[in-house]
Amino acid sequence: MSAQYLFVCTGNTCRSPLAEALAEARGVSAESAGVAAGPGDGAAPNADRALREARGLSLRDHTPRDVSAVDLTAANRIVAMSPAVGRRLRDDHDWAPDAMVTWAVPDPYGGSLADYRWCLEEISAALDDLLASG
């Protein structure tokens, strides 16, 4: 992995893939993973729909993957999408979290399309702040 940013959420079906897509649309190298990702069919349908409708981007080809399959030391910056995800990363993985940033983006999994749209905008604003700070 040579991504500049690694976004990590719980199942890698909503928040982290949205952040990855938004970062890449801004020309930033990014990847995503989940602390409890299992085999699945891809991104949550409402995540893909919210992203397509708001930004014209797609998560259609996204495949969830667990953070255990990722070299955490290869990312320049790791973004935990919530404090609970940050704790899991620190507790479950042998690495120095100096490069970790923790956001507080509620998980929209199982929610309405409006929940996913709100989540997308929260991630977009947080990403703008992160990129502006370097």
Side-chain angles (χ1 to χ4, degrees):
M1 177 182 79
S2 61
Q4 186 173 358
Y5 290 91
L6 172 64
F7 297 96
V8 184
C9 66
T10 305
N12 192 221
T13 61
C14 306
R15 294 172 293 173
S16 59
L18 288 170
E20 176 185 8
L22 290 172
E24 289 183 343
R26 290 168 168 84
V28 175
S29 173
E31 294 191 50
S32 65
V35 294
D41 296 329
N46 277 340
D48 182 55
R49 183 174 172 193
L51 185 64
R52 275 186 296 108
E53 290 176 357
R55 302 291 195 284
L57 304 171
S58 177
L59 296 176
R60 197 164 295 149
D61 295 329
H62 177 72
T63 301
R65 69 180 176 155
D66 194 82
V67 73
S68 63
V70 176
D71 178 5
L72 296 174
T73 64
N76 293 340
R77 182 73 55 110
I78 296 171
V79 179
M81 303 303 289
S82 71
V85 168
R87 283 190 297 279
R88 288 274 305 266
L89 285 169
R90 283 189 297 279
D91 293 348
D92 296 350
H93 300 279
D94 185 25
W95 62 287
D98 297 336
M100 188 168 73
V101 173
T102 302
W103 290 350
V105 179
D107 193 349
Y109 185 76
S112 69
L113 181 58
D115 295 332
Y116 283 85
R117 287 179 178 144
W118 184 87
C119 179
L120 176 68
E121 296 310 319
E122 288 292 305
I123 291 169
S124 183
L127 182 60
D128 287 344
D129 290 345
L130 180 66
L131 296 178
S133 70

